[in-house]
Amino acid sequence: MGQVDYACTPEDLVNHFKSCGKVERVTIACDKSTGAPKGYAYIELTDATAVESCLRLDGSELKGRTLKVT
């Protein structure tokens, strides 16, 4: 997903998407040289139904930013 707030934590993302199903893992992409977040993240879910539910949250707001879920 894109447009993730730079201050967002994995826990924030788990809480935002927990209604979709069990979140297995969250990875927030960071710059290798500075360690600063790049503004996008990956979440792994337990099943395809959870993924479909997650896609419905495209355009939802988290920490004042509109997420782009793909």
Side-chain angles (χ1 to χ4, degrees):
M1 73 196 68
Q3 300 290 32
V4 177
D5 185 86
Y6 298 129
C8 204
T9 66
E11 292 79 19
D12 293 331
L13 291 167
V14 168
N15 287 332
H16 188 74
F17 289 97
K18 69 182 174 185
S19 65
C20 299
K22 185 170 188 242
V23 177
E24 286 291 316
R25 179 169 55 175
V26 174
T27 304
I28 297 175
C30 295
D31 183 275
K32 289 182 182 182
S33 61
T34 65
K38 291 184 173 184
Y40 62 94
Y42 303 94
I43 59 172
E44 291 181 32
L45 302 155
T46 56
D47 59 63
T49 305
V51 173
E52 290 174 21
S53 295
C54 198
L55 289 172
R56 286 188 219 120
L57 289 178
D58 181 41
S60 62
E61 190 174 306
L62 178 62
K63 291 193 172 234
R65 301 213 40 189
T66 302
L67 297 176
K68 291 184 180 181
V69 181
T70 57

Coordinates of all heavy atoms in Angstrom, one line a residue:
M1 N 0.8 -1.2 0.0 CA 0.0 0.0 0.0 C 0.9 1.2 0.0 O 2.0 1.2 0.5 CB -0.9 0.0 1.2 CG -0.3 0.3 2.5 SD -1.2 -0.2 3.9 CE -1.2 -1.9 3.8
G2 N 0.3 2.3 -0.6 CA 1.1 3.5 -0.6 C 0.4 4.6 0.2 O -0.7 4.4 0.7
Q3 N 1.1 5.7 0.3 CA 0.6 6.9 1.0 C 0.6 6.7 2.5 O -0.2 7.3 3.2 CB -0.8 7.4 0.5 CG -0.8 7.8 -0.9 CD 0.0 9.1 -1.2 OE1 1.0 9.4 -0.5 NE2 -0.4 9.8 -2.1
V4 N 1.4 5.8 3.0 CA 1.5 5.5 4.4 C 2.2 6.6 5.1 O 3.3 7.0 4.7 CB 2.2 4.1 4.7 CG1 2.4 3.8 6.1 CG2 1.5 3.0 4.0
D5 N 1.7 7.1 6.2 CA 2.3 8.2 6.9 C 3.6 7.7 7.4 O 3.8 6.6 7.9 CB 1.4 8.6 8.1 CG 1.9 9.7 8.9 OD1 1.6 10.9 8.5 OD2 2.6 9.5 9.9
Y6 N 4.6 8.7 7.4 CA 6.0 8.3 7.8 C 6.1 7.9 9.3 O 7.0 7.2 9.6 CB 6.9 9.5 7.4 CG 7.0 9.8 6.0 CD1 6.8 11.1 5.5 CD2 7.2 8.8 5.0 CE1 6.9 11.3 4.1 CE2 7.3 9.0 3.7 CZ 7.1 10.3 3.2 OH 7.2 10.6 1.9
A7 N 5.2 8.4 10.1 CA 5.2 8.1 11.5 C 4.4 6.8 11.8 O 4.3 6.4 13.0 CB 4.7 9.3 12.3
C8 N 3.9 6.2 10.8 CA 3.0 5.0 11.1 C 3.9 3.8 11.5 O 5.0 3.6 11.0 CB 2.3 4.7 9.7 SG 0.8 3.7 10.0
T9 N 3.4 3.1 12.5 CA 4.1 1.9 13.0 C 3.4 0.6 12.5 O 2.2 0.7 12.0 CB 4.1 1.8 14.5 OG1 2.7 1.7 14.9 CG2 4.6 3.1 15.1
P10 N 4.1 -0.5 12.5 CA 3.4 -1.8 12.1 C 2.1 -2.0 12.9 O 1.1 -2.5 12.4 CB 4.5 -2.8 12.4 CG 5.8 -2.1 12.3 CD 5.5 -0.7 12.8
E11 N 2.1 -1.6 14.2 CA 1.0 -1.8 15.1 C -0.2 -1.0 14.6 O -1.4 -1.4 14.6 CB 1.3 -1.5 16.5 CG 2.2 -2.4 17.2 CD 3.7 -2.2 16.8 OE1 4.1 -1.1 16.3 OE2 4.5 -3.1 17.0
D12 N 0.1 0.2 14.1 CA -1.0 1.1 13.5 C -1.6 0.4 12.3 O -2.8 0.4 12.2 CB -0.4 2.4 13.0 CG 0.1 3.3 14.2 OD1 -0.4 3.2 15.3 OD2 1.0 4.1 13.9
L13 N -0.8 -0.2 11.5 CA -1.3 -0.9 10.3 C -2.1 -2.1 10.6 O -3.2 -2.4 10.1 CB -0.2 -1.2 9.3 CG 0.4 0.0 8.6 CD1 1.7 -0.3 7.9 CD2 -0.6 0.7 7.7
V14 N -1.6 -2.9 11.6 CA -2.3 -4.1 12.1 C -3.7 -3.7 12.6 O -4.7 -4.3 12.3 CB -1.5 -4.9 13.1 CG1 -2.4 -5.9 13.8 CG2 -0.3 -5.5 12.5
N15 N -3.7 -2.6 13.4 CA -5.0 -2.2 14.0 C -6.0 -1.7 12.9 O -7.2 -1.9 13.0 CB -4.8 -1.1 15.0 CG -4.2 -1.6 16.3 OD1 -4.5 -2.7 16.7 ND2 -3.5 -0.8 17.0
H16 N -5.4 -1.0 11.9 CA -6.3 -0.5 10.8 C -6.9 -1.6 10.0 O -8.0 -1.5 9.5 CB -5.5 0.4 9.9 CG -6.3 1.2 8.9 ND1 -7.1 2.2 9.2 CD2 -6.4 1.0 7.5 CE1 -7.7 2.7 8.1 NE2 -7.3 1.9 7.1
F17 N -6.1 -2.7 9.7 CA -6.6 -3.8 8.9 C -7.1 -5.0 9.6 O -7.4 -6.0 9.0 CB -5.5 -4.2 7.9 CG -5.2 -3.1 6.9 CD1 -4.2 -2.2 7.0 CD2 -6.0 -3.1 5.7 CE1 -4.0 -1.2 6.1 CE2 -5.8 -2.1 4.8 CZ -4.8 -1.2 5.0
K18 N -7.1 -5.0 10.9 CA -7.5 -6.2 11.7 C -9.0 -6.6 11.4 O -9.3 -7.8 11.6 CB -7.3 -6.0 13.2 CG -8.2 -5.0 13.9 CD -7.8 -4.9 15.3 CE -8.6 -3.8 16.0 NZ -8.2 -3.6 17.4
S19 N -9.8 -5.7 11.0 CA -11.2 -6.1 10.7 C -11.3 -7.0 9.4 O -12.3 -7.6 9.1 CB -12.1 -4.9 10.5 OG -11.6 -4.1 9.3
C20 N -10.2 -7.0 8.6 CA -10.2 -7.8 7.4 C -9.8 -9.2 7.6 O -10.1 -10.1 6.8 CB -9.1 -7.2 6.4 SG -9.5 -5.5 6.0
G21 N -9.1 -9.5 8.7 CA -8.7 -10.9 9.0 C -7.3 -10.8 9.7 O -6.8 -9.7 10.0
K22 N -6.7 -12.0 9.9 CA -5.5 -12.0 10.7 C -4.3 -11.5 9.8 O -4.1 -12.0 8.7 CB -5.2 -13.4 11.1 CG -4.0 -13.5 12.0 CD -3.9 -14.9 12.7 CE -2.8 -14.8 13.7 NZ -1.7 -15.6 13.4
V23 N -3.6 -10.5 10.3 CA -2.4 -10.0 9.7 C -1.2 -10.8 10.2 O -1.0 -10.9 11.3 CB -2.2 -8.5 10.0 CG1 -1.0 -8.0 9.4 CG2 -3.5 -7.7 9.5
E24 N -0.5 -11.4 9.2 CA 0.6 -12.3 9.5 C 1.9 -11.4 9.8 O 2.6 -11.6 10.7 CB 0.9 -13.3 8.4 CG 0.0 -14.4 8.4 CD 0.1 -15.3 9.5 OE1 1.2 -15.7 9.9 OE2 -0.9 -15.7 10.1
R25 N 2.1 -10.4 8.9 CA 3.3 -9.6 9.0 C 3.1 -8.3 8.3 O 2.4 -8.2 7.3 CB 4.5 -10.4 8.3 CG 5.8 -9.6 8.3 CD 7.0 -10.4 7.9 NE 6.8 -11.0 6.6 CZ 7.8 -11.7 6.0 NH1 9.0 -11.8 6.6 NH2 7.6 -12.2 4.8
V26 N 3.8 -7.3 8.8 CA 3.8 -5.9 8.2 C 5.2 -5.5 8.0 O 6.1 -5.7 8.8 CB 3.1 -4.9 9.2 CG1 3.3 -3.5 8.7 CG2 1.7 -5.2 9.5
T27 N 5.5 -5.0 6.8 CA 6.8 -4.5 6.4 C 6.7 -3.1 5.9 O 6.0 -2.9 5.0 CB 7.4 -5.4 5.3 OG1 7.5 -6.8 5.8 CG2 8.9 -4.9 5.0
I28 N 7.3 -2.2 6.6 CA 7.3 -0.8 6.2 C 8.6 -0.6 5.5 O 9.7 -0.8 6.0 CB 7.1 0.2 7.4 CG1 5.8 -0.1 8.1 CG2 7.3 1.6 7.0 CD1 5.6 0.7 9.3
A29 N 8.5 -0.1 4.2 CA 9.7 0.1 3.4 C 10.5 1.3 3.9 O 9.9 2.4 4.1 CB 9.3 0.3 1.9
C30 N 11.8 1.1 4.0 CA 12.6 2.2 4.5 C 13.8 2.4 3.6 O 14.3 1.4 2.9 CB 13.1 1.9 5.9 SG 11.8 1.9 7.1
D31 N 14.3 3.6 3.5 CA 15.5 3.9 2.7 C 16.7 3.2 3.4 O 16.9 3.3 4.6 CB 15.8 5.4 2.7 CG 16.9 5.8 1.9 OD1 18.1 5.8 2.4 OD2 16.7 6.1 0.7
K32 N 17.5 2.5 2.5 CA 18.6 1.7 3.1 C 19.7 2.6 3.7 O 20.3 2.2 4.7 CB 19.3 0.9 2.0 CG 18.4 -0.3 1.6 CD 19.1 -1.1 0.5 CE 18.1 -2.2 0.1 NZ 18.7 -3.1 -0.9
S33 N 20.0 3.8 3.2 CA 21.0 4.6 3.7 C 20.6 5.4 4.9 O 21.4 5.6 5.8 CB 21.6 5.5 2.6 OG 20.6 6.4 2.1
T34 N 19.4 5.9 4.9 CA 19.0 6.8 6.0 C 18.1 6.1 7.1 O 18.0 6.6 8.2 CB 18.2 8.0 5.5 OG1 17.0 7.6 4.9 CG2 19.0 8.8 4.5
G35 N 17.4 5.0 6.6 CA 16.5 4.3 7.5 C 15.1 5.0 7.6 O 14.3 4.5 8.3
A36 N 15.0 6.1 6.9 CA 13.7 6.8 6.9 C 12.6 6.0 6.1 O 12.9 5.5 5.0 CB 13.9 8.2 6.3
P37 N 11.4 6.0 6.6 CA 10.3 5.3 5.8 C 10.1 6.0 4.5 O 10.3 7.2 4.3 CB 9.1 5.5 6.7 CG 9.6 6.0 8.0 CD 10.9 6.6 7.8
K38 N 9.7 5.2 3.5 CA 9.5 5.6 2.1 C 8.1 6.0 1.9 O 7.7 6.5 0.8 CB 10.0 4.6 1.1 CG 11.5 4.4 1.1 CD 11.8 3.4 0.0 CE 13.3 3.3 -0.2 NZ 13.6 2.4 -1.3
G39 N 7.1 5.6 2.8 CA 5.7 6.0 2.6 C 4.9 4.8 2.0 O 3.8 5.1 1.6
Y40 N 5.5 3.7 2.0 CA 4.6 2.5 1.6 C 5.0 1.3 2.4 O 6.0 1.3 3.1 CB 4.7 2.2 0.1 CG 6.1 1.8 -0.4 CD1 6.5 0.5 -0.6 CD2 7.0 2.8 -0.8 CE1 7.7 0.2 -1.1 CE2 8.2 2.5 -1.4 CZ 8.6 1.2 -1.5 OH 9.8 0.8 -2.0
A41 N 4.1 0.3 2.4 CA 4.2 -0.8 3.3 C 3.6 -2.0 2.6 O 2.8 -1.9 1.7 CB 3.6 -0.6 4.6
Y42 N 3.9 -3.2 3.1 CA 3.4 -4.5 2.7 C 2.8 -5.2 3.9 O 3.3 -5.1 5.0 CB 4.5 -5.4 2.1 CG 5.2 -4.8 1.0 CD1 6.4 -4.1 1.2 CD2 4.7 -4.9 -0.3 CE1 7.1 -3.5 0.1 CE2 5.4 -4.3 -1.4 CZ 6.6 -3.6 -1.2 OH 7.3 -3.1 -2.2
I43 N 1.6 -5.7 3.7 CA 1.0 -6.6 4.8 C 0.7 -7.9 4.2 O 0.3 -8.1 3.0 CB -0.2 -6.0 5.4 CG1 -1.3 -5.7 4.4 CG2 0.1 -4.7 6.1 CD1 -2.6 -5.3 5.1
E44 N 1.0 -9.0 5.0 CA 0.7 -10.3 4.6 C -0.5 -10.8 5.5 O -0.5 -10.6 6.7 CB 1.9 -11.2 4.9 CG 3.1 -11.0 3.9 CD 4.2 -11.9 4.2 OE1 4.0 -13.0 4.6 OE2 5.4 -11.4 4.0
L45 N -1.4 -11.4 4.8 CA -2.7 -11.9 5.5 C -2.7 -13.4 5.4 O -2.0 -14.0 4.6 CB -3.9 -11.2 4.8 CG -3.8 -9.7 4.9 CD1 -4.7 -9.1 3.8 CD2 -4.3 -9.2 6.2
T46 N -3.6 -14.0 6.2 CA -3.7 -15.4 6.3 C -4.4 -16.1 5.1 O -4.1 -17.2 4.8 CB -4.4 -15.9 7.6 OG1 -5.7 -15.3 7.7 CG2 -3.5 -15.5 8.8
D47 N -5.4 -15.4 4.5 CA -6.1 -16.0 3.4 C -6.6 -15.1 2.4 O -6.6 -13.8 2.6 CB -7.3 -16.9 4.0 CG -8.3 -16.0 4.8 OD1 -8.9 -15.1 4.2 OD2 -8.4 -16.3 6.0
A48 N -7.1 -15.6 1.2 CA -7.6 -14.7 0.1 C -8.8 -13.9 0.5 O -8.9 -12.8 0.0 CB -7.9 -15.6 -1.1
T49 N -9.6 -14.4 1.3 CA -10.8 -13.6 1.8 C -10.3 -12.3 2.5 O -10.9 -11.3 2.3 CB -11.7 -14.4 2.7 OG1 -12.1 -15.6 2.0 CG2 -13.0 -13.7 3.1
A50 N -9.3 -12.5 3.3 CA -8.8 -11.3 4.0 C -8.2 -10.3 3.1 O -8.3 -9.1 3.3 CB -7.7 -11.8 5.1
V51 N -7.5 -10.8 2.0 CA -7.0 -9.9 1.0 C -8.1 -9.1 0.3 O -8.0 -7.9 0.1 CB -6.1 -10.7 0.0 CG1 -5.7 -9.8 -1.2 CG2 -4.9 -11.4 0.6
E52 N -9.1 -9.8 -0.1 CA -10.3 -9.1 -0.7 C -10.9 -8.0 0.2 O -11.2 -6.9 -0.2 CB -11.3 -10.1 -1.1 CG -10.9 -11.0 -2.2 CD -11.9 -12.1 -2.5 OE1 -13.1 -11.9 -2.1 OE2 -11.5 -13.1 -3.1
S53 N -11.0 -8.3 1.5 CA -11.5 -7.4 2.5 C -10.5 -6.2 2.6 O -11.0 -5.0 2.7 CB -11.7 -8.0 3.8 OG -12.7 -9.0 3.8
C54 N -9.3 -6.5 2.6 CA -8.3 -5.4 2.7 C -8.3 -4.5 1.5 O -8.2 -3.3 1.7 CB -6.9 -6.1 2.8 SG -5.6 -5.1 3.4
L55 N -8.5 -5.0 0.3 CA -8.6 -4.2 -0.9 C -9.8 -3.2 -0.8 O -9.7 -2.1 -1.4 CB -8.7 -5.0 -2.1 CG -7.4 -5.8 -2.5 CD1 -7.7 -6.8 -3.6 CD2 -6.3 -4.8 -2.9
R56 N -10.8 -3.5 -0.1 CA -11.9 -2.6 0.1 C -11.6 -1.4 0.9 O -12.3 -0.4 0.9 CB -13.1 -3.4 0.7 CG -13.8 -4.3 -0.3 CD -15.1 -4.9 0.3 NE -15.1 -6.3 -0.1 CZ -15.2 -7.3 0.7 NH1 -15.3 -7.1 2.0 NH2 -15.2 -8.5 0.2
L57 N -10.5 -1.4 1.6 CA -10.0 -0.3 2.4 C -9.2 0.7 1.6 O -8.6 1.6 2.1 CB -9.3 -0.8 3.6 CG -10.1 -1.4 4.7 CD1 -9.3 -1.9 5.9 CD2 -11.2 -0.5 5.2
D58 N -9.1 0.5 0.3 CA -8.4 1.4 -0.6 C -9.2 2.8 -0.4 O -10.4 2.8 -0.5 CB -8.4 1.0 -2.0 CG -7.8 1.9 -3.0 OD1 -6.7 2.5 -2.6 OD2 -8.3 2.2 -4.1
G59 N -8.4 3.8 -0.2 CA -9.0 5.1 0.0 C -9.4 5.4 1.4 O -9.8 6.6 1.7
S60 N -9.2 4.5 2.3 CA -9.4 4.8 3.8 C -8.3 5.7 4.3 O -7.3 5.8 3.8 CB -9.5 3.5 4.6 OG -8.3 2.8 4.5
E61 N -8.6 6.3 5.4 CA -7.7 7.3 6.0 C -7.1 6.7 7.3 O -7.7 6.0 8.1 CB -8.5 8.5 6.4 CG -7.5 9.7 6.8 CD -8.3 11.0 7.0 OE1 -9.0 11.4 6.1 OE2 -8.1 11.5 8.1
L62 N -5.7 6.9 7.3 CA -5.0 6.5 8.5 C -4.0 7.6 8.8 O -3.2 8.0 8.0 CB -4.2 5.2 8.2 CG -3.3 4.6 9.3 CD1 -4.1 4.3 10.6 CD2 -2.6 3.4 8.9
K63 N -4.0 8.1 10.0 CA -3.2 9.2 10.4 C -3.2 10.4 9.5 O -2.2 11.0 9.2 CB -1.7 8.7 10.6 CG -1.6 7.8 11.8 CD -0.1 7.5 12.1 CE 0.0 6.8 13.4 NZ 0.8 7.4 14.4
G64 N -4.4 10.7 9.0 CA -4.5 11.9 8.1 C -4.2 11.7 6.7 O -4.2 12.6 5.9
R65 N -3.8 10.5 6.3 CA -3.4 10.2 4.9 C -4.4 9.2 4.3 O -4.8 8.3 5.0 CB -2.0 9.7 4.8 CG -1.0 10.7 5.4 CD 0.3 10.8 4.9 NE 0.5 10.8 3.5 CZ 1.7 10.7 2.9 NH1 2.7 10.7 3.7 NH2 1.8 10.7 1.6
T66 N -4.7 9.4 3.0 CA -5.5 8.4 2.3 C -4.7 7.3 1.7 O -3.8 7.5 0.9 CB -6.3 9.2 1.2 OG1 -7.0 10.2 1.8 CG2 -7.2 8.2 0.5
L67 N -4.9 6.1 2.2 CA -4.1 4.9 1.8 C -4.5 4.5 0.4 O -5.7 4.5 0.0 CB -4.3 3.8 2.7 CG -3.9 3.9 4.2 CD1 -4.3 2.7 5.0 CD2 -2.4 4.2 4.2
K68 N -3.5 4.0 -0.4 CA -3.7 3.4 -1.7 C -3.4 1.9 -1.5 O -2.2 1.5 -1.4 CB -2.8 4.0 -2.7 CG -3.2 5.5 -3.0 CD -2.3 6.0 -4.2 CE -2.7 7.4 -4.5 NZ -1.9 8.0 -5.6
V69 N -4.4 1.1 -1.4 CA -4.3 -0.3 -1.2 C -4.4 -1.0 -2.5 O -5.4 -0.9 -3.2 CB -5.3 -0.8 -0.2 CG1 -5.1 -2.3 0.0 CG2 -5.3 -0.1 1.1
T70 N -3.4 -1.7 -2.9 CA -3.4 -2.5 -4.2 C -3.0 -3.9 -4.0 O -2.4 -4.3 -3.0 CB -2.3 -1.9 -5.2 OG1 -1.1 -1.8 -4.6 CG2 -2.7 -0.5 -5.6

